Each structure stands twice: as C-alpha cells, then as structure tokens.
Amino acid sequence: MPQELFGRSEEFKIINEMLDSAVAGAGAVSLMEGMIGTGKTALLRWAEARAREKGMVVLSATASPVERHFSLGIVHQLLATLPQTAQGWERALATSTGSDGGRTGHDYALLAELCAGVGRAARCSPILLTVDSLQHADRESLLWLGFLSRRLANLPVVLLATKRCGETASDQHLLVEFMEGIRPDRHIHLNDLSPSAASDLAAALCGHDHESVGALVAGAGGNPYLLTEQIRHVPAEQIRTASPGPGDAPHDGPGQAADDTAAEPSPPHPQDERVHLQGVKERILCMLRRLDPHCLKIARAASTLGTPLDPALLSDLCGVPTEEACRSLSRLAESGLLCRHDKKFRHPLLSELLYQDIPCAERAELHLLAARFMRRRGAPPEDVSAHLLRSHRLDEPWMVRLLLDAAQGMIGRDPARARRLIEKAVLHGVPDDLAVRAEGMRVQALTALDLPAAARALSAHVAGPLRPEERLRESLRLSDILLRLDELAGAREVLEKARAEAGPGDPSLAGRLRRRLTHVRLHEGTYRAQDWGGREDRLERVLLLRTAAGDSARAAWRIANRSLTVPRAPYGSSTWYHALLALLWSGDVDEAHRHMDTEVRLARASGVVTRIAEALAVRALVQLHRGLLADAEDDACQSLDLLTRIRAARHHVGALARSVLIDVALEKDDIAAASALLDGAPPLAGEQPRTWWRLYLLHSAGRALGRLGQVPRGLALIAQCEEELARRGIVNPAVLPWRSTRSALLLAQRNVVAARRAAREESELARRWNAPFALGRALVAEAAASSGCEALHLAGQALDILEPSPTPLLFAHALYEAGRAHRQAGKTRRTRELLHRANEMAISLGADGLVEAVQWELRYAGGRPDPRKDSAESLLTPTERQVSELAARGMSNRDIARLLKVSLRNIESHLTHSYRKLRISRRHELAKYFPPEEESAAPPVLLRPVRPALTPPHQLRTG
C-alpha cells in the first residue's frame, strides 16, 4: 500500500472487487467523490497499477476546465489509441463541429458505435477506464460516459471516475444521470483521514517526533494532500510552529500566532510558509475562483474573522448582498473547505494560507471593519479586541476603551494576551483619564508573567502623578511584590515613604501600613514586640511570641485555631499564614492540611500566580509533615514551575519549594536529585538575604550535604540557621529542627558526645513546647545519638507519642530507631517485630532511604527483609485489596459482605488491616490508592466457595 493511501482499506476492497469482477466478465462503474486533497487521483493511479497486474488494458483521461469546450475531449483521451474505435472517431470528428467551430449534437448511432468499439476491445482483454475530475468533462463526454455506464453489465470493463465536491459540471443534469446509475456501495465518499491514520501517515513520511507529528496533523486536519505537502516543502524545524494547535481559540484567527509573547516559541514568518506551500495556495485560489464569483472574497474574509461565520457580517465586510454571501458560504461548505454545522475552516492550514495571501494593508483594514461591525452587533469585547489588536489604527475613541475593558476581563486567565491588548492601547494613545488604569492593569498582567519586570514597572508607576489613595494602594502592591522577590529593604523603604506621605489623618490607613511594615520586619527578622500596637494585632503578637519562645503548644493552638476558624484575617494573607504555621507547629497536622486545601482552591480560583505558588509550597510542607511524599513533591514541583514562569523561582517561596523537594529526595534515597537541586540554587551565604523561607532551604541543604559526604559544609549551613534564628529570637524546635540535624551530622563525624548534647537540648525545648510531632522528632534524634537502656527508653517514648498522631513517616523512623536500640540490647524477637513494621510503613510511603536502612538492620539482626513492593496497595493481601477497592468505590461494608457472601465482621477485619498497612484512618482516603478510573486488576474472587442456595444461613462459615 502506498504511504499516501493510509486509511483507505475500505476503498481498496471495493476497487479490488470491481477489477476481479471485470476479469470474470462483469463490468462495473464507480465514482469517488471528495474535496481537494483527499487522495482521489492517488486512488486512481493505484487502481491502474493494480489493473495492469491483473492483465487488464488501462485507458485514462483527466478533465480540465480549459478543455471543457472541446466536444468529446474526454472520450478522445480514453479511446484514441484503440483501433476498434477508429470508425467511430471518423464519424465523430465529421459531426462534432460545424464550420464555425460551434458544438453540435451527437446521434444515438455515434454513441453506440463508440461503445461497440469499447466492447470489441474488451473481448480481447478486460479494460479499466479512469476519468479524473469528472466535473470538468465536456457535455458530450458526460453524455457518452453515462451511455456507456448503462451498458457495462455484460462487458469486462470497469469505469472509475473521480469528482471534486462543490464544483459545478458542464451539464449538471447529465452528471446527475451518470451518478444515479451507480450502485450506492460503489459511490465512494472520500473524507479526511482519521487522527490515527493521519498520524501514521505523517510518521511514515517524515519520521519526526510525536510533537511534530501532532502539529502536522492538527494543521492539515487529516487531509492527505496538505499533510504530504507540508512534509515535502516545510523545513522540519518549522513544523512545530507552522501549524496552529488544536487548542487554539476559534476567535483568535490565523494571525494570532504572530502576536504571541516572547516567552513562547516564535512562529515562522508568514512569507516563509507562503513560499514553501505556494503550490497548495495556488490550487486553492484557482478552485475558489471557479466555485463562485464571490467565493474568493468571502473565503479571505472568513479567514480574517476566524470565528463561526455570520453571513450578514461577511456581507458587510465584502460589500456583497447577504443572499450572495449565504450562497458563497454554501458553496464553500459543499467543497469541503468549511464545516457544514458551524462554518469554520475544516483545515487550519488552508485558513492560514488564505490569510497570508491578503496584502498586509488590506488585512489590517479588514480587521478594523470587522471590529466595527461586530461591535454594532453587540459582540463580546474579547472578540472585538482580537481584531483591534491586528488593525493598524485605532481612530475612534471607543476602541482604546474597549481594549482596556477586554484586557480587564482576561488578566486572570490569559495575562499574556491582556498585556498585548494594553500595550496596543498605550501605543495608539490612552486618554488621560484612563492612563492610571491602563498602567495598573499592565503591572497586574506583568505580575503573572514576569515578577521582576512588574516590580520595575510598578516602581515607575508609584513615582508618577497619582492621587494619595492610589499611591497608597500601589505602594502596598509594590511592597508585596518586592517582598516576594526578597528585596526586603526596598519593600520597607516604599512603605515608610508611603506612611510619611499619608500623615496622621486616616487611622485605618495608618493601621494597614503599620501591619504591612510589621510583616516586612518579620521576614527580615528585625521586628520587636514593642513595635506592634493596636488591639487588632494583639492576638497575632501573642501567637508569634509564644511560638518563637516555644512556651506552650496548647496555648498557641487555641489562638491559631481561633484566628483560622472565624477567620480573623483573609485567606492567603500574612496574618492567616502565621496562624496556619502555628497550627502546624502545634501538632494539628490534619487541621492545617484541611485549611491549606481550602486556600489552594481559593488561590486557583483567584488566578493570581504568586498566591497559587505560595499556597502550593506551604501545602507541600504540610504534606511532608504528614509523610505524603508523592503529594508533597507534586505540590512543590507545581509551585516551582509557576515561579519559574514568572522568573521568581530563586526568591521567596521558591526556597521553600526547593527545601521540600530536597527533603523528599532524601527520604526517597534519590541523592542525585538532591544534588541537582543544590546545584540549581546554591544555598551558600552571601548570595541572597537570609529570609524566612531561605532558612528552610539552608536546613535541607545541610542535611543533603551530610548525605553527600560533605559534613563540614553541612554543619556550616546549620550554623547559619542557628545564628539567624538566634537573631530573630526563635528557640522553638518545632519551627526548624536544626539541633537534631546537627546531631545527625555530628554522628557522621563520630562525635557522639556533641551529637548527644545537641539532641538532648532539642528534646528539652520540645518538652517545654509539648507538641507531638516536635517532641517525637527530638526523641528520635536523641535515641539515635544514645545507646543502651537510654536509647530503649527514648525510642519507646517516641513510639508512644507518635503512634496516635497522623505522622506516619516520623513514626516509621521511630520504629527503626526502636528496632535498632532493641538489636543493640540483644532483644532479637522484638527487633524483628519493630523493623518489619517499619519496613512495611516505609514501603507504603515510598521512603526508599528508610527501607534500605531498615532492611540492613533486619539482615544484621538475622531476619529476612520483606521483598520490595512496587506500590502501597501491593502491601495488601489479595482479599484485603479486593475489599479495599470495593470500599473505595463507595460500597458500604454490608454491601461488600453481601456481594462476596461473607460476614460483616470479616469485611471489617480486612478493612482494619488495610487501614493499618496503608497508614490511613478514614474510608475516603482509600480513593488515593484505588482511584475510580483504575480498573480492577482481576475479577472479584469470592472469599469462600459458593454454597447451594438451599443451605441454611446459620450453617455458613466465613472465610
């Protein structure tokens, strides 16, 4: 099968059957109909080659519009070489034209004589007659082809013809008569290839990667001709960008690609594509000129609009009556260029070529006219702005206002396009009363695209002529951006300048500025308790002071819970995050996770990139506390991707996201990933200020350097954490456990005394704070640095504290330390029990580093390590997995018991074991391991053999 004929197996089958029937002595007629480029001619050539293989005589003809006035031109192409038709040709030439060259009719005897000649030739050898582009055949040839087709039943002759959709014939009545004589199953309608067939064809022809093949298929819309022409003529490096993607907005129009921002790949210049695909464009233009007097003009206007087409709008644009526009649209739909249901271009590449063929000045004028007419018809501002964006002039006052209104509506979901609209309006002149609004919107769009550029633009905007309330509002926005870029001194300077200009007149204004200044000082570590004033700050001040001093986790939990429950501060604000972190450090991980889930949903609904990134990074930290390594890694990666997109990955919460990723990599024993993260953002001193989230990165980097064998460098980073926390007055080990990390690094240097001293100091402070997670973590670190009975006692305490808490990863580490302490004490049986449980939990959590350590201890203790599992649910037995999967689908315990024909107690027992192995406590958490879309690995297996229905229920035994 030729490569160009992929996806035509049904057509091949029909043609083969016809050729076989002709060889057997029975003739047949077939018509292949389709739009330009669907492979009609290629199928004819394939049929001719196939007929020659079967020993048939092949006679072919191709109709052309320029030869339509020649009488019997197609018949002459077919039969001129047959000696059996010589007499018929002499008569035909004698009667075909008069002295003036005009057409005359042909009598029945002439048509019969030519058919008889074909019959005589067919008796010598079966014949295949092929006629390409039947719609261009002259009237007399159409008459003879119809005459022949009705007499082929007993002749070994096959007549194959092709017809292009939408184009009129020289005599439509004769063409219809010819088509009516064809069997329905032999009237072949060739459509575009299916996506899979088009992908196979593109891959076979060009062999490009999957992304290139997808771009080719999307641009050609499955049309074989357009697909092959792109591959043959468009350079490979332009394939990805030359064709519009399948997700392009329909109202954007073909010219949208040229207006994309610099952050996206630059498409090729339109002139390049026009040169490469000049032949395709010329064929389409010739066809459009033949279809209808107005078709070319309507098609160009349609390529400019790019929307589902309105005949009235096209009529206004082209200056033709509405009836003519409707007629032209119908012809374009019949020809296959437009879809019938919504009148959009079937093939984006054709729309692009037609758009590029319009002269630049005329194209801009068409866009301007389209914008005017669409506005008069009440079109949405976004649709009108798409055309204003491509016009060369904005000569009416409403145009600039409409661009700004459209930009306002799309800043949240499409900031790049909103920025283009704003800059277009500014380029053509914004009225004075809209200048401030335009600049504010531009900064807002830049915030979602390029945070450093937004800071520069907003700094210039604040320095301009603004009213006092506007200057205050913009100063608060600028301070927030500078804070997220770790430019703390700049943020404080902006706020202090705004407070000095505001004066003592407005108490609420002074309060907002004071709170923002306080939060800036919190980030840079220069705040003092006496700096806080006012009743509204009392709770937050007490919460921060208690948390920093580590006095009472219970008291801090009450204040944080009260602040979050009301809530006293808006979601996502600095005050809200202070309460959220206090709740986390107080040990209420579940409640903190619930609040963070809400904040992530609200942030995504707002569309503010910086808020989404911050929410995801902090939720990753909460999930790390819960031991959800995969979820924490996913959230941290998403946060880092968003920050990278706005060029702020090295600032603010980017450090927290990297810190979480390093910790996850260490737990997964992926040292290479941790090393790559350190190389991507070196956490050494002097490069960036020691902001709050930067401390987390320093701490995680210190741990990672210890694992990489660079213990002195790790201890230096931990010393920086100690120094910075001391400067800020923070001694609470729940905030950052640098002492336990130092203990682990000192143990790696065999400095057991110093390691035990650091761990004991953290334990004492954690007991004063008295939060389960912080105290359990400190006890685990102290047990690791101790030996003998002291290690047994400390590990036992950690187990008692952590087992009821929702922190499975830390509990697994406590089990490991307890097992190691029992091995050193010679208690082998208890050692194996603890280590097997730690191994099971570590595997379920994906903590490969802990798994390796636990299995090494098991081998050292003389036990047999469990085989490594590929997934958490593989820890379950087949029956536990089956029951858990049914429960995850929403079935109740009673329904599961009825389905599997076992007792209710049996189901409850299996679920209890599954909860323990998966370290979950609620039924809905099973959906994480058994998602709804996942099909069962095996059909349900009954837990016991089915007994006859007559067996009394009380005699049934559960499995």
Side-chain angles (χ1 to χ4, degrees), residues 592-724:
H593 198 180
R594 185 180 68 82
H595 283 295
M596 281 312 307
D597 286 342
T598 304
E599 166 58 14
V600 169
R601 287 195 298 271
L602 293 174
R604 283 179 170 152
S606 71
V608 180
V609 177
T610 51
R611 181 179 177 184
I612 299 172
E614 185 171 16
L616 288 170
V618 176
R619 188 172 71 170
L621 177 66
V622 175
Q623 289 169 337
L624 186 62
H625 274 67
R626 295 194 65 189
L628 306 177
L629 298 181
D631 294 341
E633 183 179 26
D634 183 54
D635 277 351
C637 286
Q638 288 186 51
S639 176
L640 210 54
D641 289 343
L642 289 172
L643 292 171
T644 302
R645 196 176 78 188
I646 62 173
R647 302 180 185 180
R650 292 177 176 268
H651 309 289
H652 198 46
V653 291
L656 176 60
R658 279 195 170 87
S659 168
V660 172
L661 289 175
I662 291 173
D663 288 340
V664 170
L666 294 179
E667 292 293 347
K668 291 185 173 182
D669 201 26
D670 192 351
I671 306 301
S675 178
L677 286 164
L678 291 179
D679 294 339
L684 301 179
E687 294 184 1
Q688 291 184 352
R690 295 179 191 173
T691 56
W692 179 248
W693 296 125
R694 183 93 178 151
L695 291 176
Y696 277 78
L697 180 58
L698 289 172
H699 178 260
S700 299
R703 291 184 61 209
L705 289 172
R707 292 285 296 275
L708 290 168
Q710 303 177 34
V711 177
R713 290 184 64 197
L715 286 171
L717 294 184
I718 298 303
Q720 293 180 35
C721 293
E722 176 187 9
E723 176 187 347
E724 182 63 23

Side-chain angles (χ1 to χ4, degrees), residues 546 551-560 586 588 768-771:
R546 280 190 175 277
D551 286 338
S552 171
R554 186 64 184 173
W557 176 86
R558 284 197 299 269
I559 298 173
S586 300
D588 199 345
R768 190 177 70 178
W769 178 243
N770 198 25

Side-chain angles (χ1 to χ4, degrees), residues 368-657:
L368 187 62
L369 290 174
R372 287 173 179 164
F373 293 138
M374 291 174 68
R375 178 174 175 267
R376 291 174 190 172
R377 287 173 168 78
E382 292 185 13
D383 293 348
V384 179
S385 66
H387 295 284
L388 290 176
L389 192 62
R390 298 175 185 86
S391 60
H392 288 174
R393 54 192 174 88
L394 304 179
D395 53 2
E396 298 182 32
W398 62 267
M399 294 179 175
V400 169
R401 294 181 182 273
L402 187 139
L403 283 176
L404 295 180
D405 291 342
Q408 183 73 52
M410 65 177 66
I411 278 182
R413 64 180 186 278
D414 193 352
R417 189 172 176 191
R419 177 188 175 187
R420 291 197 299 272
L421 295 177
I422 296 166
E423 291 178 348
K424 177 77 171 182
V426 172
L427 179 65
H428 288 268
V430 176
D432 294 341
D433 59 328
L434 297 177
V436 173
R437 178 192 174 199
E439 185 60 23
M441 289 167 56
R442 190 174 78 90
V443 171
Q444 187 178 351
L446 277 173
T447 304
L449 298 171
D450 188 344
L451 206 59
R456 293 191 296 270
L458 191 53
S459 298
H461 184 49
V462 169
L466 298 176
R467 295 195 301 270
E469 60 274 11
E470 290 176 347
R471 190 182 306 280
L472 171 63
R473 184 175 63 251
E474 299 303 329
S475 297
L476 291 172
R477 286 177 59 192
L478 178 58
S479 68
D480 183 66
I481 294 175
L482 293 174
L483 194 63
R484 295 179 187 279
L485 291 174
D486 295 335
E487 298 181 16
L488 305 180
R492 182 173 52 182
E493 180 182 353
V494 167
L495 291 173
E496 287 176 348
K497 183 178 179 180
R499 185 169 65 172
E501 292 179 357
D506 189 349
S508 63
L509 188 64
R512 289 174 63 188
L513 287 169
R514 184 182 65 251
R515 285 193 296 273
R516 184 60 62 86
L517 273 169
T518 300
H519 294 149
V520 170
R521 289 169 180 165
L522 280 169
H523 276 278
E524 64 183 4
T526 59
Y527 81 99
R528 295 292 181 270
Q530 57 270 22
D531 294 340
W532 288 55
R535 285 183 166 182
E536 67 277 5
D537 301 326
R538 186 175 61 84
L539 271 182
E540 186 178 5
R541 181 174 71 248
V542 173
L543 176 65
L544 290 173
L545 290 176
R546 280 190 175 277
T547 304
D551 286 338
S552 171
R554 186 64 184 173
W557 176 86
R558 284 197 299 269
I559 298 173
N561 195 50
R562 179 181 174 184
S563 298
L564 293 170
T565 303
V566 176
R568 296 177 62 86
Y571 268 87
S573 64
S574 297
T575 302
W576 186 89
Y577 270 114
H578 293 160
L580 184 282
L581 291 172
L583 193 68
L584 175 66
W585 295 329
S586 300
D588 199 345
V589 183
D590 283 340
E591 192 66 12
H593 198 180
R594 185 180 68 82
H595 283 295
M596 281 312 307
D597 286 342
T598 304
E599 166 58 14
V600 169
R601 287 195 298 271
L602 293 174
R604 283 179 170 152
S606 71
V608 180
V609 177
T610 51
R611 181 179 177 184
I612 299 172
E614 185 171 16
L616 288 170
V618 176
R619 188 172 71 170
L621 177 66
V622 175
Q623 289 169 337
L624 186 62
H625 274 67
R626 295 194 65 189
L628 306 177
L629 298 181
D631 294 341
E633 183 179 26
D634 183 54
D635 277 351
C637 286
Q638 288 186 51
S639 176
L640 210 54
D641 289 343
L642 289 172
L643 292 171
T644 302
R645 196 176 78 188
I646 62 173
R647 302 180 185 180
R650 292 177 176 268
H651 309 289
H652 198 46
V653 291
L656 176 60

Side-chain angles (χ1 to χ4, degrees), residues 24-294:
V29 183
S30 176
L31 177 65
M32 291 180 287
E33 190 173 1
M35 73 158 289
I36 185 171
T38 47
K40 302 180 294 299
T41 303
L43 271 173
L44 282 187
R45 302 291 89 86
W46 175 85
E48 292 169 359
R50 187 70 174 159
R52 292 188 183 97
E53 292 174 2
K54 295 178 179 290
M56 300 176 66
V57 174
V58 177
L59 305 174
S60 62
T62 301
S64 172
V66 298
E67 298 183 8
R68 181 180 287 189
H69 62 280
F70 293 117
S71 178
L72 291 177
I74 298 302
V75 182
H76 184 266
Q77 290 187 52
L78 290 173
L79 307 182
T81 59
L82 285 180
Q84 292 85 348
T85 61
Q87 294 180 357
W89 275 120
E90 292 177 0
R91 183 177 176 184
L93 291 174
T95 60
S96 61
T97 57
S99 59
D100 59 351
R103 268 186 211 148
T104 62
H106 292 278
D107 57 13
Y108 182 89
L110 173 61
L111 299 178
E113 176 61 28
L114 291 174
C115 288
V118 173
R120 288 192 298 271
R123 292 188 185 94
C124 301
S125 177
I127 295 176
L128 170 64
L129 302 174
T130 63
V131 181
D132 198 8
S133 299
L134 184 64
Q135 74 277 2
H136 298 318
D138 59 276
R139 180 184 180 280
E140 290 76 12
S141 294
L142 277 176
L143 179 64
W144 181 81
L145 289 172
F147 190 88
L148 175 65
S149 66
R150 292 186 286 273
R151 289 160 176 80
L152 292 183
N154 299 319
L155 291 178
V157 177
V158 174
L159 173 58
L160 289 182
T162 67
K163 174 184 174 296
R164 187 179 296 166
C165 294
E167 297 194 20
T168 57
S170 57
D171 192 316
Q172 193 68 21
H173 297 291
L174 290 176
L175 180 60
V176 171
E177 285 186 12
F178 174 79
M179 295 168 62
E180 286 180 347
I182 300 173
R183 280 173 39 179
D185 59 325
R186 291 175 180 169
H187 189 170
I188 302 171
H189 295 274
L190 293 179
N191 299 313
D192 290 334
L193 299 179
S194 65
S196 60
S199 299
D200 293 342
L201 172 59
L205 288 176
C206 67
H208 290 292
D209 55 45
H210 177 74
E211 185 179 352
S212 298
V213 169
L216 281 168
V217 174
N223 187 281
Y225 170 66
L226 298 179
L227 200 58
T228 54
E229 286 299 302
Q230 281 191 99
I231 294 170
R232 288 170 182 163
H233 299 292
V234 179
E237 62 271 11
Q238 293 184 8
I239 285 178
R240 278 198 190 94
T241 54
S243 300
D248 287 350
H251 61 270
D252 283 350
Q256 179 63 28
D259 295 317
D260 288 344
T261 58
E264 300 173 357
S266 299
H269 193 275
Q271 183 65 28
D272 297 336
E273 264 189 61
R274 190 156 59 240
V275 170
H276 295 315
L277 299 175
Q278 183 72 19
V280 177
K281 187 190 71 173
E282 292 300 333
R283 286 191 65 183
I284 296 300
L285 292 177
C286 289
M287 186 187 74
L288 289 173
R289 292 187 183 100
R290 288 195 302 267
L291 286 179
D292 186 88
H294 304 297

